[in-house]
Amino acid sequence: MSDSRLCLALDVPTTRDATEWVARTRGAFGVYKIGLELFCAEGREVIDAVRAAGAPAIFLDLKLHDIPRTVSRSVGRLVELGVDYLTIHTGGGGSMMEAAAETAGDRLRLLGVTVLTSLDEQELSGVGVAMTPAAAVLKRARLAIDSGVTGLVCSAQEAARLRDDLGAAPYLVTPGIRLAGSATGDQKRVMTPARAIAAGADLLVIGRTITAADDPERALRDLADDLRP
Ligand code: C5P
């Protein structure tokens, strides 16, 4: 049985690479994430192919941000394509999130992205947000939940704080996962899988820890060991 708490990030250039990783990791991940670059290159074909290769669920990471009608209609199209998880940007506002949530219903789980980790306080101020990133994350997370968006993407460090503030209900998705001893790459705030779950994460997004490992099969075993109770 694949682990429904684990998502593999298919940050690869082609459908073929993506389906090879699904086949190679079958049984380990309950969810497979298709990002903006891969979707721009391959379109709906990659969704169908990843599903056909055995992915139990598809996560499309497009971080939608537009007027409510456009986002809502796009969510409807993606429901038809069989997408199970979809990111939208909380910066689009409460009306946009409400419209998206209404269209999604219980057919697709919406995940709100709060503040991109590439933005620091100075960059936020440059776009007119006079707040620390941590304060903006909390404010936008509350708005997302109030707007009917039941999931949030956050770092594992933020997960503990959001759990304290928002309680048990929100579905928290955390990237930035690393096995003890693996390279952190460009991720600044990382956590091991077991610690992220203990911090309150519901779904761990894992990429290069597996896909850039010298020995991916061994990394998969290490991942399973780390999560073994
Ligand atoms: O390779 P790695 O495990 O760092 O991959 C993490 C995945 O999560 C990538 O697909 C990346 O786009 C995504 N992500 C992230 N940090 C965020 C939001 C999303 O790493 N703040």
Side-chain angles (χ1 to χ4, degrees), residues 7 41 55 72 119 152 156 163 176 190 201 204 210 212 224:
C7 170
S72 161
L119 298 178
L152 295 162
R163 274 275 170 257
V190 300
L204 310 181
I210 303 298

Side-chain angles (χ1 to χ4, degrees), residues 58-182:
I58 307 275
F59 176 165
L60 191 59
D61 189 8
L62 299 184
K63 301 183 179 66
L64 298 181
H65 184 167
D66 209 315
I67 59 171
R69 182 172 187 275
T70 301
V71 170
S72 161
R73 292 178 69 84
S74 303
V75 169
R77 297 287 88 81
L78 294 171
V79 166
E80 287 163 12
L81 293 192
V83 171
D84 302 288
Y85 299 80
L86 172 70
T87 48
I88 62 171
H89 205 297
T90 57
S95 312
M96 185 201 84
M97 289 192 278
E98 276 173 24
E102 198 182 325
T103 302
D106 56 9
R107 299 176 297 170
L108 177 157
R109 188 186 283 278
L110 286 175
L111 305 168
V113 172
T114 54
V115 178
L116 296 175
T117 43
S118 51
L119 298 178
D120 58 14
E121 192 164 350
Q122 200 182 346
E123 286 220 60
L124 274 184
S125 154
V127 294
V129 178
M131 260 186 209
T132 63
V137 165
L138 206 50
K139 186 167 176 126
R140 290 180 175 189
R142 286 185 189 135
L143 179 64
I145 299 302
D146 289 347
S147 307
V149 173
T150 56
L152 295 162
V153 180
C154 61
S155 73
Q157 276 86 355
E158 286 161 0
R161 185 142 179 253
L162 291 177
R163 274 275 170 257
D164 282 349
D165 197 75
L166 301 169
Y171 183 84
L172 300 181
V173 177
T174 60
I177 303 298
R178 292 291 180 273
L179 291 165
S182 68

Side-chain angles (χ1 to χ4, degrees), residues 23-42:
R24 199 168 171 182
T25 59
R26 208 181 329 226
F29 294 91
V31 185
Y32 286 82
K33 181 166 89 73
I34 295 165
L36 186 57
E37 182 189 350
L38 183 55
F39 188 69
C40 287
E42 306 281 27

